[in-house]
Amino acid sequence: MRKKQYLLQEGDVCKTIAFVVKGALREYNVDDKGNEHILQFALEGWVISDLYSFMTSEPATYNIDALEDSELLLLTKHSQEELLKRIPKYETYSRMQMTGAYMAMQKRVTSILSMSIEDRYLSFIEMYPNIVQRVPQHMIASYMGLTPETLSRVRKKISNSL
Amino acid sequence: MRKKQYLLQEGDVCKTIAFVVKGALREYNVDDKGNEHILQFALEGWVISDLYSFMTSEPATYNIDALEDSELLLLTKHSQEELLKRIPKYETYSRMQMTGAYMAMQKRVTSILSMSIEDRYLSFIEMYPNIVQRVPQHMIASYMGLTPETLSRVRKKISNSL
């Protein structure tokens, strides 16, 4: 898919789990005031989906679009069920992958609750150096729940203290 | 275990996943300034653990203690491996349970990023009415990343508008 194309739009049912072979995507929701809030980025080797919509067939509450020209491997619910039935190791892989995603999300909640904005940004660039290089700063601000101005101030403060 | 007893202290390795048979527990970390930040509550039927420490045998970064006298079913890593080996349905259960926990955590991040404090609290009491009844308000404030004063102001505002 090409840059800026949608894989999923809010209100549609999410019919696939996408494995990113090449490229970069983001998953985000839009609040009452029209502001975008990024839940997740996905680069090569990562997985992206509106999991709740995929599992329940309820309308998606998130949008997913491409930040770069991307190649995806799409897994439908039917293919996933077939894989789970036929390849026990896929179930193990899937459980481990979900455990990893859950632990990363726990870490993110704890960093929001208990770390200063400076430390949160330093931890983000340490964990995800590739995202920092490939994603525009205003999207990283959105992911962190900051305005672009606040993030820019934090980055200046950090670079001055180096 | 009795109320206020620890199941896990930061710095120790987390050796078990705990299924709550009866009672209530919380999992929290302590920041540089000594403030507690609650990652999770667990009531009957829920699971609680420092999963990263459990998986990697690294020292725990969270504490877990009992908010009420509680009865737990403790699963060690060895028991978990045995269950996974012998009972394929346990792997399915475990994958689904992890998927549910991950989706709940996604929802929490999105609510922090994109909802007003009032709406976050209303959504919390709708999702977790039992927690609101059994857990002191200052702990719910800690879970939401608010001061007890802010939460108390939000609750007054909500009850005035009813």
Side-chain angles (χ1 to χ4, degrees):
Chain A
M1 65 191 301
R2 298 214 154 268
K3 185 172 169 172
K4 297 200 176 177
Q5 270 190 329
Y6 282 92
L7 175 65
L8 175 70
Q9 286 191 284
E10 187 188 335
D12 293 346
V13 172
C14 178
K15 298 215 154 95
T16 58
I17 293 178
F19 291 79
V20 183
V21 178
K22 196 172 163 302
L25 295 94
R26 65 170 177 160
E27 180 166 357
Y28 65 96
N29 72 317
V30 182
D31 70 20
D32 303 343
K33 291 171 190 157
N35 297 312
E36 294 175 358
H37 303 278
I38 296 177
L39 176 70
Q40 197 200 322
F41 298 107
L43 305 181
E44 288 81 14
W46 297 26
V47 172
I48 195 163
S49 176
D50 181 327
L51 208 52
Y52 184 78
S53 172
F54 179 79
M55 302 287 289
T56 62
S57 300
E58 297 278 324
T61 54
Y62 296 101
N63 304 277
I64 301 176
D65 64 9
L67 304 176
E68 303 173 0
D69 293 351
S70 299
E71 283 170 32
L72 307 176
L73 201 148
L74 298 177
L75 196 68
T76 62
K77 211 159 175 175
H78 178 73
S79 334
Q80 195 202 31
E81 279 160 11
E82 282 299 305
L83 277 174
L84 287 168
K85 218 182 292 174
R86 294 189 189 175
I87 307 171
K89 281 206 175 151
Y90 178 76
E91 177 124 53
T92 305
Y93 160 79
S94 184
R95 177 177 62 82
M96 294 307 292
Q97 195 257 327
M98 208 41 79
T99 305
Y102 175 62
M103 291 190 299
M105 209 52 111
Q106 280 191 325
K107 202 168 170 180
R108 184 163 167 203
V109 168
T110 291
S111 82
I112 294 175
L113 294 180
S114 64
M115 284 162 71
S116 69
I117 299 176
E118 285 81 1
D119 288 343
R120 281 174 58 201
Y121 185 68
L122 288 170
S123 151
F124 180 80
I125 58 181
E126 194 190 318
M127 280 179 77
Y128 305 114
N130 296 336
I131 292 179
V132 179
Q133 278 164 22
R134 286 163 64 176
V135 167
Q137 284 296 320
H138 73 273
M139 290 189 186
I140 293 172
S142 164
Y143 175 93
M144 292 183 66
L146 307 174
T147 63
E149 295 71 32
T150 304
L151 181 59
S152 157
R153 205 157 50 233
V154 167
R155 295 179 67 216
K156 257 181 221 148
K157 201 169 152 185
I158 291 172
S159 69
N160 287 341
S161 72
L162 291 180
Chain B
M1 65 190 302
R2 297 212 156 270
K3 186 172 170 172
K4 297 201 176 175
Q5 271 191 329
Y6 282 93
L7 175 67
L8 176 70
Q9 287 191 285
E10 186 188 338
D12 293 346
V13 172
C14 178
K15 299 214 152 98
T16 58
I17 293 178
F19 292 79
V20 183
V21 178
K22 195 173 164 303
L25 295 94
R26 64 168 178 162
E27 179 165 358
Y28 65 97
N29 73 317
V30 182
D31 70 20
D32 304 343
K33 291 170 191 156
N35 297 313
E36 294 175 358
H37 303 280
I38 296 178
L39 177 69
Q40 196 200 324
F41 297 107
L43 304 183
E44 289 80 14
W46 298 25
V47 172
I48 196 162
S49 176
D50 181 327
L51 208 52
Y52 184 79
S53 172
F54 179 79
M55 302 287 289
T56 61
S57 299
E58 297 278 323
T61 54
Y62 296 101
N63 304 278
I64 300 175
D65 64 10
L67 303 176
E68 302 173 0
D69 292 352
S70 301
E71 283 170 33
L72 307 175
L73 200 147
L74 297 177
L75 195 68
T76 63
K77 211 160 173 172
H78 178 73
S79 334
Q80 196 203 31
E81 280 159 10
E82 283 299 305
L83 278 174
L84 288 168
K85 217 182 291 171
R86 293 188 190 178
I87 308 171
K89 281 206 175 150
Y90 178 75
E91 177 124 52
T92 305
Y93 160 78
S94 185
R95 176 177 63 81
M96 293 307 292
Q97 196 256 327
M98 208 41 79
T99 305
Y102 176 61
M103 291 191 299
M105 209 51 111
Q106 280 192 326
K107 201 168 170 180
R108 184 162 168 204
V109 167
T110 292
S111 82
I112 295 175
L113 294 180
S114 63
M115 284 162 72
S116 70
I117 300 176
E118 284 83 1
D119 288 342
R120 281 173 59 201
Y121 185 67
L122 287 171
S123 150
F124 180 80
I125 56 182
E126 193 190 318
M127 281 178 76
Y128 306 115
N130 296 337
I131 292 180
V132 178
Q133 278 165 20
R134 286 164 63 178
V135 167
Q137 284 295 319
H138 74 273
M139 290 190 187
I140 292 173
S142 164
Y143 175 92
M144 292 183 66
L146 307 174
T147 63
E149 295 72 30
T150 303
L151 180 59
S152 158
R153 206 157 49 230
V154 166
R155 294 179 68 215
K156 257 181 225 150
K157 201 169 153 185
I158 290 172
S159 69
N160 286 342
S161 71
L162 291 179

